[in-house]
Amino acid sequence: LDTIIFNAVISACEKGGEWEKALQSFRGMAQRTIQSNVITFNTLLCACEDGVEWEGALQLFHEMAASSVELDTITLNAAICSCEAGGEWDKALHLFGAMTQSRVKFDSITFTAAIRACEDGGEWEKSLRLYATMVQSGVRPNTITLSVAVSACED
């Protein structure tokens, strides 16, 4: 058994909505001393997002940050989206802020997830500040971003 096989199993669990089984498979990797990689973590984070398991996502995010596996844009997006899906706008914003010091590139998904988290939390001012930061940083807003930003102002 190797990383590719475990990643395939974790991915199948994620696609099937079985985030608990995905995490169980991940723990099985560690028990067998099979090296995890960015694909392993990103798939797990997506499984947690789908399962609205923001606490598990944050734990995985911190495990990944403490390991030798390098975070990427997908990692950040999945972690922020997990917090947003769980109604934890403040944690999503904390992740966003913490990652501004890293080499991870923010994209429209990153900003949209953070804006949506603030919108869901009734924090329209923060949503608008994030939108302004997005534009200033040269990341092009998409239709979803614009819709979420407008929606934040309506509440």
Side-chain angles (χ1 to χ4, degrees), residues 37-52:
N37 60 23
V38 68
I39 295 168
T40 311
F41 280 101
N42 287 350
T43 306
L44 284 164
L45 286 166
C46 288
C48 288
E49 175 190 349
D50 294 343
V52 193

Side-chain angles (χ1 to χ4, degrees), residues 77 107-113 115-116 131 134-135 138-150:
N77 291 347
D107 63 12
S108 63
I109 296 170
T110 315
F111 278 100
T112 302
I115 291 167
R116 181 175 310 213
Y131 181 80
M134 179 182 193
V135 172
V139 176
R140 187 173 180 171
N142 59 30
T143 306
I144 297 169
T145 310
L146 295 170
S147 175
V148 171
V150 168

Side-chain angles (χ1 to χ4, degrees), residues 21 42 63 71 97 105 109 127 143:
K21 289 181 182 172
N42 287 350
E63 281 181 44
L71 298 109
K105 294 188 190 254
I109 296 170
S127 292
T143 306

Side-chain angles (χ1 to χ4, degrees), residues 93-131:
L93 206 55
H94 177 76
L95 279 175
F96 184 91
M99 294 311 295
T100 58
Q101 304 300 319
S102 75
R103 290 180 272 141
V104 175
K105 294 188 190 254
F106 292 14
D107 63 12
S108 63
I109 296 170
T110 315
F111 278 100
T112 302
I115 291 167
R116 181 175 310 213
C118 291
E119 182 231 347
D120 290 347
E123 298 291 328
W124 65 270
E125 296 102 341
K126 287 180 173 62
S127 292
L128 291 181
R129 268 183 269 170
L130 282 168
Y131 181 80

Side-chain angles (χ1 to χ4, degrees), residues 6 10 14 18 21 28 42 57 63 82 84 98 129 133 154:
F6 268 95
I10 291 168
E14 184 259 331
E18 298 287 341
K21 289 181 182 172
N42 287 350
E63 281 181 44
S82 292
E84 183 266 321
R129 268 183 269 170
T133 301
E154 290 175 341

